[in-house]
Each structure stands twice: as structure tokens, then as C-alpha cells.
Amino acid sequence: SRMTRLRLLGLVHSPLFALARSFTDSPDLADAILSHFPNAFIGITGVISYASNENTPEVVRRLGARCSPDSPTGLRILLETDAPYLAPANLPTKQIGMTSKQRYPFCHGGVLPWTAEFVAGVLNEGKGLDDRRWTTVDVLRQARENARACYRI
């Protein structure tokens, strides 16, 4: 059943808010979660930036169709690290004290801007020249507001 599948996905639910953590499942399931739980959020990790992952970018595209940088509340995502794994693929390859072939050895909260940057790029796909484009800061700001609402902080 749908509820069993939601439980297996690790959906964290309270009477007020729900979070589908580290979401990589189908966009249709994300739509079902968001329609069934009006205060639900989809957890987005660095996996969105992996070439093999087609589902998560499509979830973000669908959410982006319902909102804009000037009216962002429809962007019902939380940015997650899934630390220490699943660092974003768009991280710079050269960092202070690291060789040119090294990346961050593990994922942590400090890499969230790269996940947000990738999300902004997905949200900007198909935008016209006159359309206001999402920035990394727009995505970080809305994700922060969503986290405040979800965790009541």
C-alpha cells in the first residue's frame, strides 16, 4: 500500500509536518506525499547532482513549476547532507590542502551551498531571458524557512 511504502521510505511524520528524507524515489511518489501531507517536505541531498539520478531533479522541476524566486513557498524541500556520505558531484575538485584529484573526504553541512547551487540550476532550466532566475541564496533561504517550519525552530 502507499502508506507502507511511505513508512519504508523513512518518512518522518508528525501531526504538523512530514519529511521524506534523502528522497530519490519517483516524482509521482513525491507528488503523492506532498498532496497527502499538506505540510510535507522532500529531503534533497547531494545525490541530486549525480548523473545517474533522474528522479530527484524531476521532483525539483515539478516543485519549481508551482513557485518562483519571488513566491518560493511551493519549493517544499529541505537540504540534507546524509553525512558522511553522498557529497554533491559539483563540489570543486581542488581545495586548500588537497591535491587536484581529491574531493572533500566526507559530506557535511558545509557542502549544502553546492547542493543548493545545483537545485537552483535545475529550477532555472527552461527559464526565459526576462524571467527572474533562482539563485543559490534563494534556494538556501527557502530551505532554511522550510527547516524552521518542519522542525519548529
Side-chain angles (χ1 to χ4, degrees):
S1 77
R2 181 190 295 176
M3 290 309 295
T4 301
R5 190 165 183 199
L6 295 177
R7 282 190 204 102
L8 290 174
L9 282 173
L11 184 74
V12 178
H13 177 253
S14 76
L16 299 175
F17 295 96
L19 170 61
R21 294 203 61 248
S22 302
F23 193 85
T24 58
D25 212 307
S26 77
D28 290 338
L29 180 59
D31 290 343
I33 291 168
L34 295 172
S35 66
H36 186 77
F37 299 103
N39 292 325
F41 299 96
I42 300 295
I44 305 294
T45 66
V47 172
I48 190 173
S49 64
Y50 295 7
S52 61
N53 180 359
E54 297 175 4
N55 286 338
T56 312
E58 180 58 26
V59 169
V60 169
R61 283 183 202 99
R62 289 183 184 189
L63 290 172
R66 304 174 194 157
C67 61
S68 71
D70 296 320
S71 181
T73 56
L75 187 62
R76 293 166 56 189
I77 66 169
L78 292 181
L79 298 177
E80 301 182 292
T81 62
D82 214 2
Y85 309 106
L86 308 176
N90 59 327
L91 282 171
T93 55
K94 188 171 185 178
Q95 299 296 323
I96 296 172
M98 303 173 89
T99 69
S100 62
K101 293 183 181 181
Q102 288 180 315
R103 290 181 171 247
Y104 285 102
F106 57 89
C107 191
H108 52 81
V111 304
L112 287 177
W114 283 275
T115 302
E117 177 183 65
F118 195 90
V119 168
V122 171
L123 290 167
N124 289 327
E125 291 174 1
K127 292 258 185 206
L129 294 175
D130 295 331
D131 293 332
R132 171 132 138 55
R133 300 179 68 76
W134 287 87
T135 66
T136 301
V137 171
D138 293 328
V139 173
L140 287 167
R141 184 176 293 121
Q142 187 57 40
R144 180 188 62 210
E145 291 306 313
N146 292 345
R148 286 179 175 162
C150 185
Y151 296 117
R152 304 173 93 189
I153 52 174

